[in-house]
Amino acid sequence: MGRSNTGPSLWWLAPTAAFLIIAFIVPVFFLFEMASDSSKGFWAELAQVWTRNHTRRALLNGVVLSAAVSTAAMLLCLPPAQLLARSRFRGRDTSRLLLSLPLAFSGVIVGFLAIVMLGRVGVIPTLSQALFGQPYGSGLAYALPGLFLAYLFFEIPRAVLSLEAAFAKLDPELDAAARTLGASRWQRWRRIKLPALWPALAGTFATTFAVSLGSFGAALILSRRFFVLPVEIFTEFTAFSNDAAACAMAIWLASISALVSWGAARATADG
Amino acid sequence: MAERVARGLAAILLVVLLVVVVAPLLIVMIGSVVDTSLLGLTSESWQEDVSAWSWFSYVLDLYGVHLARSAWLALTVVVSACLIGFPAAYALARRNDAFSATVRVLLDAPLAVPGLTVGIGLLLAYPWGRASGATLAAGHLLYALPFFVRAATNALSAAGLAELEEAAAAAGASALQRFRRIVLPLARPGLLAGALMAFTISWGEFNVSFLLATPTTQTFPAALYLTYTTNSFPVAAAATTLFLGAAAPALLLLQRVAAAETARFGEAA
């Protein structure tokens, strides 16, 4: 503790630590307490989320959708992120600013935008009707593709910004040296860029996955037949006042999300 | 050659992403001031004799109170983040012990937990905090604080800052003098960036808010949900444009103040 003698005292951390205990640890404890308050018992209540067809499907729907959206966001944003980090061109700052806009949006706004574009009388079907005589995309917003696009919409800034930061940290000298030594484009990707980017990729995936899995604004507005767990939790809690079941689902949701983040942090530490 | 093709593809992809993000926003913004019945977006509510801008006054009448409440809430969150986050960032920038490491992990933990889950927990733990909006503010702060502290910690760990402070202390400067003359001027961009992130998060927050808000503490994003489900397109578009009116300048300012911090904001919950 030699260093801490000269630094500020631990008391400087006290307000934040107290706030985190009051606003985070205690509420999480109450979630567990409420789930174990059930007449069935804690573990039976947790197991029921998995054994009931409806909730299991909602849980798996969310996991698969979030994984697909995160993967798509990563692949789509990787090349533009490299461009933003490595090249100087006019409109670069403007592009970054415009791409960062969805960061400030809640899911409900994204849901509304999806309806405007791909609803029953959305912009795209209307234009398509005028151009091709067929309202292509009509009502797509309410189906799985619409939900996928809406989630992708708010993952774009998260993926672009964090990948751009990762590209900016890459050492260009290393790449240049490999090129002088005759490494092919693919070899340089495989042997230099990918290992260096790996922690950022894992971190980006974990973030976008957690955000998608927990988002419920967009699903609340859009999903008609494709159910995701946050919406189920909300309905169970508010409409049926089935607090124990809602808490059991919430524990599943939070655990999966935390597990993926933890896995990514481990990957980052190893890399 | 392959290099140029790859760059070209990346540029095309960038343009595609820009169109995907900007086109819906432009349509909504245009839709809030122009007759959009041509696109089939407006059904019965559009009246020829009503000037387009009047939708804004209609929305302000309807949702002015929610706008004001969200602005007030965001301000509260920013001030609280500064008050409790600055000392924490100062300690985290200088200390390297187990307790600091724990606080650091704990600060980021809520980002990995869905807001709805935290909302239910807050509601169960403090049922009495709902009417006053205390749990609502706590929920917002929980998601804003990590970003403020991270930005502030980075700013306060800047090379030379600790040495400058030590030198000033050796020369007899008081703690307040050191804060006002050295720490604050040097860390200002980082602190401002953190405050802007806290504002943006609170302004757009829905996951925690929708559950914790009562009819009398409803935030603007929660009110937007009701607009989308009950109102006509021009009203919804005008309301969305008002939302963007505060969010976009905050993000613009954030980029101006600290482009590097914007990247970390990519992890916003």
Side-chain angles (χ1 to χ4, degrees):
Chain A
M1 298 284 279
R3 205 183 147 201
S4 49
N5 288 336
T6 53
S9 92
L10 276 177
W11 287 108
W12 289 69
L13 287 167
T16 290
F19 171 73
L20 289 170
I21 291 170
I22 293 170
F24 185 63
I25 294 184
V26 171
V28 167
F29 172 78
F30 266 81
L31 274 183
F32 280 87
E33 220 240 7
M34 181 54 80
S36 52
D37 225 24
S38 133
S39 51
K40 302 184 201 75
F42 178 71
W43 296 108
E45 194 67 59
L46 271 194
Q48 210 185 33
V49 176
W50 189 251
T51 49
R52 269 166 58 195
N53 272 331
H54 187 67
T55 47
R56 184 182 58 232
R57 193 168 307 146
L59 178 63
L60 291 176
N61 276 350
V63 170
V64 171
L65 178 67
S66 305
V69 167
S70 302
T71 312
M74 198 111 82
L75 293 177
L76 282 176
C77 295
L78 210 51
Q82 182 170 20
L83 200 64
L84 286 172
R86 284 272 166 255
S87 314
R88 302 273 171 278
F89 55 92
R90 264 185 56 198
R92 188 172 73 126
D93 289 345
T94 316
S95 304
R96 192 190 296 112
L97 173 70
L98 291 173
L99 286 181
S100 74
L101 279 176
L103 275 182
F105 297 1
S106 64
V108 279
I109 294 179
V110 180
F112 171 65
L113 295 178
I115 293 174
V116 167
M117 298 307 284
L118 290 164
R120 297 227 162 71
V121 283
V123 172
I124 289 174
T126 310
L127 283 178
S128 151
Q129 177 81 51
L131 290 173
F132 312 114
Q134 276 293 324
Y136 291 116
S138 172
L140 210 61
Y142 303 103
L144 186 54
L147 210 54
F148 181 86
L149 288 174
Y151 277 47
L152 196 58
F153 183 89
F154 61 68
E155 298 303 7
I156 287 173
R158 297 182 166 89
V160 166
L161 291 179
S162 60
L163 292 175
E164 187 198 341
F167 274 115
K169 271 187 248 148
L170 282 186
D171 184 1
E173 309 252 319
L174 222 54
D175 195 50
R179 196 194 307 222
T180 329
L181 292 171
S184 73
R185 190 179 169 74
W186 166 247
Q187 279 176 321
R188 277 179 283 139
W189 243 109
R190 178 75 190 76
R191 307 293 285 277
I192 295 177
K193 284 188 191 165
L194 206 56
L197 286 174
W198 169 239
L201 290 175
T204 306
F205 184 87
T207 308
T208 52
F209 183 86
V211 170
S212 293
L213 194 69
S215 155
F216 96 121
L220 200 61
I221 292 237
L222 295 178
S223 83
R224 293 291 183 271
R225 261 166 303 174
F226 186 86
F227 298 104
V228 290
L229 207 56
V231 178
E232 297 302 304
I233 295 174
F234 185 74
T235 334
E236 200 76 45
F237 193 75
T238 54
F240 305 125
S241 303
N242 195 347
D243 293 1
C247 286
M249 286 191 254
I251 290 170
W252 273 90
L253 194 67
S255 308
I256 295 173
S257 187
L259 202 67
V260 171
S261 302
W262 178 78
R266 277 288 305 265
T268 313
D270 291 349
Chain B
M1 182 61 201
E3 200 77 19
R4 287 203 17 213
V5 172
R7 277 178 59 105
L9 282 176
I12 290 170
L13 214 46
L14 180 65
V15 172
V16 169
L17 290 186
L18 281 169
V19 170
V20 167
V21 168
V22 175
L25 297 177
L26 268 183
I27 287 168
V28 164
M29 286 198 292
I30 294 169
S32 62
V33 290
V34 174
D35 185 348
T36 42
S37 55
L38 283 177
L39 282 173
L41 289 168
T42 314
S43 47
E44 74 298 329
S45 314
W46 190 268
Q47 289 159 344
E48 286 298 324
D49 55 322
V50 177
S51 107
W53 293 100
S54 72
W55 289 115
F56 283 98
S57 61
Y58 178 69
V59 169
L60 279 176
D61 278 349
L62 261 183
Y63 299 113
V65 61
H66 302 97
L67 267 170
R69 194 175 293 131
S70 267
W72 175 244
L73 183 60
L75 204 67
T76 312
V77 168
V78 169
V79 171
S80 321
C82 293
L83 285 180
I84 75 168
F86 178 79
Y90 191 69
L92 289 178
R94 304 287 154 85
R95 295 186 64 96
N96 199 3
D97 56 297
F99 186 72
S100 311
T102 313
V103 171
R104 205 168 294 187
V105 170
L106 207 54
L107 258 173
D108 284 343
L111 298 183
V113 177
L116 180 64
T117 309
V118 169
I120 292 181
L122 280 167
L123 201 56
L124 292 173
Y126 315 106
W128 42 265
R130 198 183 185 195
S132 64
T135 42
L136 186 63
H140 279 213
L141 185 56
L142 205 54
Y143 287 94
L145 194 60
F147 293 99
F148 178 83
V149 172
R150 235 184 286 178
T153 307
N154 284 327
L156 293 170
S157 330
L161 187 56
E163 288 76 11
L164 268 176
E165 246 196 294
E166 263 170 50
S174 72
L176 189 66
Q177 281 176 317
R178 295 198 307 262
F179 176 73
R180 278 194 40 212
R181 311 288 284 277
I182 296 174
V183 177
L184 206 53
L186 284 173
R188 189 176 289 142
L191 295 174
L192 194 55
L196 283 167
M197 289 187 215
F199 173 85
T200 318
I201 288 175
S202 173
W203 182 250
E205 218 299 315
F206 179 79
N207 292 350
V208 184
S209 315
F210 197 50
L211 192 73
L212 290 176
T214 64
T216 55
T217 58
Q218 199 103 83
T219 64
F220 191 55
L224 276 178
Y225 172 70
L226 299 177
T227 318
Y228 295 152
T229 47
T230 56
N231 261 311
S232 63
F233 174 75
V235 177
T240 310
T241 307
L242 282 176
F243 176 88
L244 283 171
L251 283 172
L252 178 66
L253 205 57
L254 179 60
Q255 278 225 340
R256 281 284 149 80
V257 173
E261 292 298 338
T262 318
R264 274 178 215 103
F265 199 30
E267 293 172 23

